[in-house]
Amino acid sequence: MHGHGSSSTKCDLNDLPNSRKYVKMICMGGIVTPGYIASTIADRHCDIIRGDVVVRNWRGDATPLQHLMTIRKIKGVLHIIDNEELKDLCFLSGLKEIQADSKEQRAALVISNNTALEELLLISLTRLESPALVTVVIKNNPKLFVDVEEMYEVAGGQNRTTLVLANIARDGYDWEDSVPLFAKISVGVTLVVALVLTVLWCTYGTRWKKFSGLSTAIPPTPSKKTRVPKR
């Protein structure tokens, strides 16, 4: 938990990094907190981050996050997870590339469980690299709207994404992760109802035909009694 108040970010896109203005600087990744920003990012104009960048459970004033606007490349994974107040990611509007570690099978970009997130604003992002089958995972962000086709292009193809937008699985690689819970429950209920109806039909269908006169069963032929001659 970081600070108090609103986490609505106000990013000035004119402050995006300029190659002539900033000296190329490599900084270490980490969990983004006010302390991390003050000690590692602020006033350093970091161009490249080496290691994962994790924005988790950020609350309150989002102004310190604007120090991340100088980042152009992350050599690791970008996690935006479990944030209840962030409405957008404009503080990463200068980010152009994410290159996940080639030794681990991990998605390069994970955006999950952000209840207030409405838009990404990753306006500079053009390249994602990961040895994993899925490059991008975006799910459980109930208010988020994304340009799906643009994300497919950045991720390297539709089959390399897991996108769940507005509780609807648009397209993705992992069916189990992509299909909302209510859809799975609906399928299960439908199958159970169909099974019950089948059992009821098999049990009572024959009886109904018999009593309604529609039974096609052939009645048995009565046996002939053998007469014994009288003496």
Side-chain angles (χ1 to χ4, degrees):
M1 298 176 63
H2 315 298
H4 302 280
S6 173
S7 286
S8 177
T9 52
K10 296 181 180 179
C11 301
D12 185 355
L13 300 184
N14 292 323
D15 290 339
L16 290 178
N18 185 301
S19 58
R20 296 181 180 179
K21 182 178 179 180
Y22 295 109
V23 177
K24 187 174 181 179
M25 176 69 69
I26 299 177
C27 302
M28 297 303 297
I31 298 176
V32 178
T33 64
Y36 166 80
I37 292 175
S39 63
T40 307
I41 304 296
D43 300 325
R44 294 194 178 189
H45 306 298
C46 299
D47 184 80
I48 298 174
I49 299 294
R50 181 171 295 168
D52 294 352
V53 175
V54 182
V55 181
R56 169 184 285 170
N57 198 29
W58 184 282
R59 296 182 181 180
D61 185 12
T63 301
L65 292 172
Q66 294 190 40
H67 289 288
L68 303 178
M69 291 183 69
T70 62
I71 299 173
R72 295 186 180 185
K73 182 176 182 179
I74 295 176
K75 291 186 175 181
V77 176
L78 174 59
H79 297 270
I80 309 293
I81 53 178
D82 302 330
N83 297 286
E84 297 181 357
E85 299 179 8
L86 289 180
K87 294 183 178 181
D88 59 62
L89 307 180
C90 69
F91 53 87
L92 289 170
S93 54
L95 181 63
K96 295 182 177 181
E97 180 181 355
I98 303 175
Q99 185 179 43
D101 192 338
S102 60
K103 297 180 181 179
E104 299 183 23
Q105 299 291 319
R106 301 187 299 164
L109 176 62
V110 179
I111 302 175
S112 178
N113 299 325
N114 302 284
T115 55
L117 191 62
E118 298 177 358
E119 53 185 341
L120 299 182
L121 295 182
L122 299 175
I123 60 175
S124 301
L125 187 62
T126 57
R127 186 176 183 182
L128 294 170
E129 292 185 7
S130 171
L133 293 176
V134 175
T135 306
V136 177
V137 175
I138 301 178
K139 61 182 181 179
N140 300 333
N141 307 286
K143 296 183 179 180
L144 179 62
F145 291 91
V146 175
D147 186 330
V148 178
E149 296 301 325
E150 182 177 336
M151 187 56 67
Y152 289 158
E153 182 178 353
V154 174
Q158 176 178 339
N159 64 326
R160 303 201 69 192
T161 66
T162 294
L163 304 182
V164 181
L165 306 176
N167 293 325
I168 299 176
R170 300 296 177 86
D171 286 289
Y173 174 79
D174 191 338
W175 187 88
E176 288 294 330
D177 286 341
S178 298
V179 178
L181 179 60
F182 77 87
K184 298 178 183 179
I185 294 176
S186 298
V187 173
V189 170
T190 301
L191 292 176
V192 171
V193 171
L195 179 61
V196 171
L197 291 176
T198 301
V199 172
L200 291 176
W201 174 254
C202 293
T203 303
Y204 297 101
T206 303
R207 295 182 183 179
W208 179 82
K209 286 183 178 181
K210 180 178 180 180
F211 288 107
S212 63
L214 297 178
S215 177
T216 57
I218 300 175
T221 303
S223 59
K224 295 181 180 180
K225 295 183 179 180
T226 304
R227 293 184 178 182
V228 179
K230 296 181 179 180
R231 292 183 180 180

